[in-house]
C-alpha cells in the first residue's frame, strides 16, 4: 500500500486497498464453496451424516453444508487470536481429513 502511494499517489493506495479487499473476499467465497462441496461429497458417500449430502432443489446448493461451514467459520473468526485461529483450523482440517480416511 505504501509503495503504491509512493509510485501512484493516494489514488494508488486506495485502488490497491480495494483490490486486496476484493481478492480476499473472492478467496473466502471460493474456500467456503469448496469446503461445503467437500462435506456434500462426504455426506453422499456415506462417510459423513446424510444431512451433509442434501441439496436444495431450487438453488441446487448444499444448504446444510454451507450452513455448517458458515457456523464453523464464525466460531473460528471469533477466537480473536490469529495464531490460535491458524492452529484450530489446521487441527480441524487434519481431524476431518483423518476421519474421512478411516
Amino acid at each position: 500500500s505504501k509503495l503504491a502511494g509512493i509510485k501512484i499517489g493516494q489514488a494508488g493506495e486506495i485502488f490497491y486497498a480495494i483490490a486486496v479487499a476484493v481478492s480476499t473476499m473472492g478467496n473466502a467465497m471460493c474456500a467456503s464453496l469448496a469446503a461445503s462441496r467437500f462435506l456434500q461429497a462426504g455426506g453422499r458417500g456415506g462417510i459423513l451424516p446424510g444431512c451433509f449430502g442434501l441439496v436444495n432443489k431450487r438453488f441446487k446448493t448444499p444448504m446444510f453444508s454451507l450452513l455448517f461451514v458458515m457456523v464453523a467459520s464464525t466460531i473460528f473468526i471469533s477466537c480473536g487470536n490469529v495464531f490460535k485461529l491458524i492452529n484450530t483450523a489446521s487441527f480441524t482440517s487434519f481431524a476431518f481429513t483423518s476421519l474421512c480416511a478411516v
Side-chain angles (χ1 to χ4, degrees):
S1 177
K2 297 288 184 190
L3 181 61
I6 293 169
K7 295 291 184 182
I8 305 173
Q10 187 176 8
E13 278 189 49
I14 293 170
F15 175 77
Y16 187 74
I18 291 171
V20 168
V22 169
S23 176
T24 302
M25 290 300 294
N27 185 17
M29 290 175 64
C30 289
S32 66
L33 289 174
S36 68
R37 297 294 179 173
F38 177 72
L39 293 174
Q40 178 193 14
R44 284 193 170 184
I47 297 170
L48 297 174
C51 59
F52 285 104
L54 298 176
V55 176
N56 185 303
K57 291 180 183 179
R58 180 176 174 201
F59 299 110
K60 296 183 177 32
T61 56
M63 296 299 282
F64 185 80
S65 297
L66 281 171
L67 182 65
F68 180 79
V69 169
M70 181 184 70
V71 169
S73 298
T74 303
I75 291 170
F76 291 155
I77 289 171
S78 65
C79 289
N81 184 346
V82 173
F83 297 111
K84 188 176 181 181
L85 173 65
I86 292 170
N87 287 336
T88 304
S90 298
F91 174 76
T92 305
S93 174
F94 174 74
F96 276 111
T97 304
S98 299
L99 181 66
C100 289
V102 173

